[in-house]
Amino acid sequence: MTQLVIIGIYLGMLLCLGLFSSRLFKGTSKDYMLASHSIGPFLLLMSIFGTTMTAFALVGSSGEAYKEGVGVYGMLASSSGIIHSLCFFLLGIKLWSWGHKHGYTTQIQFFRDRLESDRIGIILFPVLVGLVIPYLLIGVMASGVVISSITEGAFESSFAAYDYGIPPWLGSLVISMVVLIYVFFGGMRGTAWANTFQTVVFMILGVVTFVVISNKLGGLEAASNAVLEKNPSKLMRDVAPADRERYSERYTSWVTMAKYNYVTKVAKTLTLTPDQKEEAYQAFKPRMPNWQTKAQAVYAAKNKLYELTSEEINKAMLIQDDRVMPDPFPEKWKMGLMTHHDLKEYPRKANAEKEKSMLIFGGKIGHPEKDLDPNDPSKGKKWTIKKARGVYRASNWAPDAPHPMSKLVFLTYFFVPLSVGMFPHLFQHWLTARSAATFKLPVVAHPLFIMVVWVPCVLVGVWATSATLNGAPMFPPHFPANAVLAAMVKKMTSPVLAGFLTAGILAAIMSSLDSQFLCLGTMFTEDIVVHYGGKDRFTDQQVVLMARLFIILIVAITYGFSLLEPRRVFTLGVWCFSGFSSLFPIIFAAVYWKKLTKAGAYAGILVAIGSWLYLFREAGYALKPNYTFLGMMPVATMVVCSAVAMILVSLITKPPSKETMARFYPED
Amino acid sequence: MRYAIYGLVVVLIVLHQDNWLWDDTRLIFGFMPITLLYQAGISIGAAIVWFLATKFAWPHHLEEIAQDSPAQETGETE
């Protein structure tokens, strides 16, 4: 409950900040959308940084480091330090000067003028809004997960289905509402202020989290040495021989279990006698819950009590791993054995984990503060639903296969941060700058700020792989990556500190949502309503009202998506960024290539979004975290395809008029 | 000078691909994975390169272009 009170106070403070900044609001749509071009270097740095560092940076980076190891930093943090500032330097300043000179508020206004195309907005607006939605989804989804994890057991009897804590859907809803309210009151000025405040909060609390967690793990050296001993592959981008051997043993043991379950529960061709079971238990060392079945499985395999065909073994593995059984069963799997990789090609059944864990561990589930057995407190506390599902996954599913990071994938990750060149909310932030010189501080400090936030998060995520609490591993296999940071904070700090640290995580999430909300409203009113409806048709107040209504509509759609099957924050983030990156050639050419034509830009946009949709579908809509195309990150193909289409079509179509060229390149 | 800055950016991108540390699990200062330390060094290198860019390759002419424009409006927030 303490955590909940602290989070509530923090959200209240944000609302006050929004209301306060609204007192400075000049009442014009220009002030609402661009803070009247009045933002100085520090506010610009903090608002740009706060906007780009979303749930992706804290929740996503720690979760991804937990899954993939320290290589995550090189994949996106250090590369972003180079590429983001490059985009600010090459595009931000130039677009700011044109925006300032010609009075632009959105990217589409710039493209309309530069490409001499009134209708570019019709194609670009849905593309940009469509790509912002997954970006919003990252924040909305992560905020619900974080609040739900941290408030577990906060209520005495309410929300039993959510482990007596705030349900994720309610957490996401509250955060969306708070951001909506302060964006509505404060506009861009309020957003810049709130971003700055929240960026300071999450950077300070991030460092505090790091220090507290490392102390709890016995200090920096002890925490890292535990990883070196138990999961050395997490400290590099290759697979350590020790991890390979461990996995091989676990996988063999898992297959044995799958086969035993198949012959005893599906084919029902084997039943051990009480004597055989006793013999099996004598020879087995108990470890995890449900160990008796494992002992029987080992005994049956050792004494060759059953025989299975390849088809039956494959089916046994699919059932054990809760995978959807293909129908008809493929011929190739009637003859040969599936590898673990083949197995993973089949999706998991949606509700199997939830239903089976309740069936097996239902009797142990209850309020996490109450004893399992009131007469014998030594048996421990009742299990949460999350714990039951975690134990089910750990004891039933195939172990995670360690895999090296591909050098080509690492290299092609460089295309992902190009997305900042096309983020519509960043474009809007660029235009808030007071002068070109305002960009100097963000350009220089951005890589350092990324480092200050990402290095501790990556270390915490990697430490989580080997952390123990009271002698037991803190995270069982298959623990959800999105919940790693919140779980570390909850398990390793006091309730008061956990409340503050959660506020810090939420600050990072909200400091991105606010800019994105505002930007969506601006794009809708400027690019669609005012442009196609007529400039003098609406008053400033009407424009602001329409912006707000459109924001509510998009937030409602995003919120609906957040209730569907969750994705890894990192994976979803990379797909969203990849979509924006695929449009990078268009903005770069629009600024630096005078031969870019309207038809060339259309071709580039269509190919970019077409290739994005195709590859996103191939990747199971972000359900396959390690999906690659031609051995590379899919974004590389998207960027190359859109660039080629844009260049080829531009070369064979009519270039822009001399007037337009003179408008943008007067020095020629 | 602008091209020298772009050259440094290319050098950073090349150095970023640290194939030689792919299977190195060494802990520097007893706790810091060498891969992470190296990549954090790339971040610091990036900040230095961009500092040089603001000193020696800053597009001052863009500031003048914007200042001449009628769209400019001033206000104080900071």
Side-chain angles (χ1 to χ4, degrees):
Chain A
M1 188 51 93
T2 314
Q3 294 97 316
L4 202 55
V5 172
I6 294 171
I7 295 168
I9 293 171
Y10 179 75
L11 297 179
M13 280 168 62
L14 267 182
L15 292 177
C16 290
L17 188 73
L19 291 172
F20 173 69
S21 60
S22 75
R23 295 180 64 184
L24 299 171
F25 177 31
K26 292 180 181 174
T28 64
S29 56
K30 189 166 188 176
D31 193 71
Y32 185 79
M33 292 160 188
L34 297 178
S36 302
H37 302 297
S38 63
I39 301 297
F42 182 68
L43 276 185
L44 187 67
L45 165 68
M46 296 311 248
S47 53
I48 286 180
F49 181 71
T51 302
T52 48
M53 294 295 114
T54 167
F56 188 77
L58 298 182
V59 179
S61 66
S62 49
E64 199 65 11
Y66 169 75
K67 290 282 183 191
E68 310 290 342
V70 291
V72 169
Y73 185 91
M75 261 165 30
L76 261 176
S78 51
S79 55
S80 295
I82 302 168
I83 301 295
H84 284 187
S85 289
L86 182 69
C87 289
F88 300 162
F89 185 72
L90 287 180
L91 300 176
I93 307 167
K94 196 102 177 169
L95 290 170
W96 170 84
S97 74
W98 284 339
H100 213 56
K101 189 175 172 187
H102 304 305
Y104 301 136
T105 312
T106 69
Q107 284 166 319
I108 290 173
Q109 290 171 337
F110 160 68
F111 279 119
R112 270 199 191 107
D113 275 6
R114 169 66 182 81
L115 300 170
E116 300 171 331
S117 169
D118 188 63
R119 291 185 184 156
I120 188 92
I122 294 170
I123 178 174
L124 205 49
F125 178 77
V127 167
L128 293 175
V129 172
L131 286 171
V132 168
I133 287 177
Y135 203 166
L136 290 175
L137 189 56
I138 300 167
V140 171
M141 202 171 73
S143 57
V145 171
V146 167
I147 292 179
S148 172
S149 303
I150 221 79
T151 57
E152 216 173 73
F155 299 99
E156 192 59 36
S157 56
S158 309
F159 301 126
Y162 300 95
D163 294 329
Y164 302 90
I166 301 276
W169 61 264
L170 185 57
S172 297
L173 187 65
V174 169
I175 292 297
S176 301
M177 296 299 288
V178 168
V179 180
L180 274 178
I181 291 170
Y182 82 71
V183 167
F184 284 1
F185 276 108
M188 179 51 97
R189 195 181 297 277
T191 299
W193 280 47
N195 260 346
T196 303
F197 170 65
Q198 302 211 78
T199 306
V200 171
V201 167
F202 86 70
M203 287 182 78
I204 293 173
L205 290 177
V207 174
V208 172
T209 310
F210 176 72
V211 172
V212 170
I213 289 177
S214 65
N215 283 339
K216 282 277 177 186
L217 292 172
L220 298 170
E221 290 190 20
S224 292
N225 278 312
V227 184
L228 189 59
E229 187 190 327
K230 295 173 192 167
N231 293 290
S233 300
K234 301 291 181 190
L235 298 174
M236 58 179 178
R237 283 157 288 178
D238 211 337
V239 178
D243 280 335
R244 213 182 288 275
E245 274 171 36
R246 241 188 309 259
Y247 161 73
S248 180
E249 278 169 24
R250 284 177 189 161
Y251 188 70
T252 308
S253 152
W254 177 81
V255 173
T256 306
M257 183 80 179
K259 289 196 279 194
Y260 179 72
N261 280 338
Y262 186 83
V263 291
T264 55
K265 292 174 187 166
V266 180
K268 294 184 179 168
T269 51
L270 174 72
T271 309
L272 294 189
T273 65
D275 285 347
Q276 284 174 316
K277 284 184 184 174
E278 193 51 44
E279 208 178 319
Y281 299 158
Q282 294 287 337
F284 195 80
K285 186 184 168 193
R287 276 175 245 162
M288 294 278 287
N290 204 21
W291 67 270
Q292 290 90 340
T293 316
K294 277 190 181 164
Q296 293 166 26
V298 171
Y299 177 85
K302 199 175 170 185
N303 293 286
K304 296 181 180 159
L305 299 181
Y306 60 83
E307 209 165 301
L308 292 175
T309 62
S310 295
E311 181 180 348
E312 286 170 322
I313 294 172
N314 290 334
K315 283 182 175 171
M317 292 195 291
L318 286 164
I319 293 169
Q320 182 72 24
D321 215 28
D322 289 330
R323 304 276 169 182
V324 173
M325 188 68 69
D327 185 23
F329 200 74
E331 283 300 316
K332 61 175 178 175
W333 299 134
K334 288 180 181 171
M335 308 301 291
L337 274 181
M338 282 180 179
T339 62
H340 193 178
H341 182 75
D342 299 325
L343 186 68
K344 286 194 285 188
E345 289 297 309
Y346 296 92
R348 281 214 166 93
K349 291 179 195 164
N351 286 319
E353 168 200 354
K354 189 176 166 188
E355 288 162 7
K356 289 185 183 175
S357 61
M358 286 302 282
L359 201 68
I360 300 169
F361 305 114
K364 294 182 174 185
I365 293 171
H367 196 288
E369 299 298 318
K370 291 185 178 160
D371 293 326
L372 256 178
D373 180 354
N375 301 319
D376 183 6
S378 67
K379 288 186 178 169
K381 302 286 183 192
K382 288 202 169 187
W383 289 18
T384 58
I385 295 169
K386 290 189 194 83
K387 180 174 175 177
R389 290 173 74 163
V391 172
Y392 173 80
R393 287 191 299 262
S395 52
N396 284 275
W397 288 359
D400 274 333
H403 54 269
M405 194 176 282
S406 150
K407 291 185 172 102
L408 192 55
V409 166
F410 187 78
L411 178 67
T412 49
Y413 248 97
F414 248 110
F415 287 95
V416 178
L418 288 174
S419 52
V420 298
M422 268 307 283
F423 281 162
H425 49 281
L426 211 56
F427 182 91
Q428 203 174 344
H429 269 296
W430 286 340
L431 292 188
T432 63
R434 188 189 296 154
S435 67
T438 309
F439 280 88
K440 285 184 179 175
L441 186 60
V443 164
V444 177
H446 195 76
L448 297 177
F449 273 36
I450 291 178
M451 184 183 75
V452 169
V453 171
W454 275 70
V455 167
C457 284
V458 168
L459 275 174
V460 165
V462 168
W463 290 342
T465 61
S466 314
T468 54
L469 201 61
N470 306 322
M474 193 181 287
F475 297 101
H478 303 292
F479 190 84
N482 293 353
V484 167
L485 184 62
M488 288 283 266
V489 165
K490 183 169 174 66
K491 288 178 181 177
M492 311 205 85
T493 62
S494 67
V496 174
L497 194 54
F500 279 112
L501 300 180
T502 309
I505 299 172
L506 294 176
I509 295 171
M510 289 188 287
S511 63
S512 298
L513 287 179
D514 53 14
S515 304
Q516 291 157 345
F517 285 3
L518 187 70
C519 165
L520 285 169
T522 308
M523 282 162 59
F524 178 66
T525 52
E526 291 292 307
D527 297 333
I528 303 295
V529 177
V530 173
H531 184 75
Y532 295 108
K535 204 170 183 180
D536 301 322
R537 193 167 157 193
F538 306 104
T539 64
D540 253 1
Q541 283 75 14
Q542 284 175 320
V543 168
V544 172
L545 177 69
M546 277 187 278
R548 289 173 177 176
L549 290 175
F550 182 72
I551 294 169
I552 291 173
L553 174 72
I554 295 296
V555 172
I557 292 171
T558 308
Y559 180 71
F561 279 125
S562 76
L563 304 177
L564 302 175
E565 193 180 356
R567 268 77 169 147
R568 259 155 80 170
V569 162
F570 194 88
T571 312
L572 194 61
V574 167
W575 274 104
C576 165
F577 301 158
S578 299
F580 283 111
S581 296
S582 66
L583 297 169
F584 177 83
I586 324 288
I587 185 89
F588 186 79
V591 173
Y592 288 101
W593 193 40
K594 290 169 194 164
K595 288 185 179 165
L596 172 70
T597 67
K598 176 170 77 176
Y602 275 89
I605 294 168
L606 289 174
V607 169
I609 207 63
S611 56
W612 185 84
L613 285 171
Y614 172 75
L615 292 167
F616 191 46
R617 186 174 155 269
E618 288 292 296
Y621 303 103
L623 276 177
K624 296 179 187 170
N626 299 313
Y627 176 79
T628 55
F629 185 71
L630 303 173
M632 300 182 288
M633 285 300 289
V635 62
T637 306
M638 296 178 212
V639 172
V640 170
C641 288
S642 79
V644 168
M646 178 192 76
I647 293 167
L648 289 180
V649 176
S650 290
L651 289 176
I652 56 169
T653 47
K654 194 181 154 201
S657 67
K658 283 181 182 168
E659 291 75 29
T660 296
M661 287 297 100
R663 196 161 183 232
F664 288 95
Y665 308 101
E667 63 274 21
D668 297 345
Chain B
M1 198 59 197
R2 185 164 263 250
Y3 291 105
I5 297 293
Y6 294 151
L8 287 173
V9 172
V10 172
V11 169
L12 275 177
I13 292 172
V14 172
L15 289 175
H16 174 270
Q17 187 71 21
D18 56 342
N19 291 351
W20 56 94
L21 292 175
W22 223 255
D23 56 356
D24 198 332
T25 55
R26 268 180 296 164
L27 294 174
I28 308 298
F29 311 125
F31 79 97
M32 188 71 165
I34 191 163
T35 304
L36 189 58
L37 184 68
Y38 178 86
Q39 291 292 337
I42 294 286
S43 296
I44 295 169
I48 294 169
V49 169
W50 292 119
F51 174 74
L52 294 174
T54 61
K55 284 281 166 201
F56 304 109
W58 195 252
H60 294 287
H61 63 285
L62 292 178
E63 185 113 18
E64 287 152 23
I65 290 169
Q67 274 170 356
D68 294 340
S69 71
Q72 195 180 6
E73 186 181 330
T74 55
E76 282 304 311
T77 295
E78 246 184 290

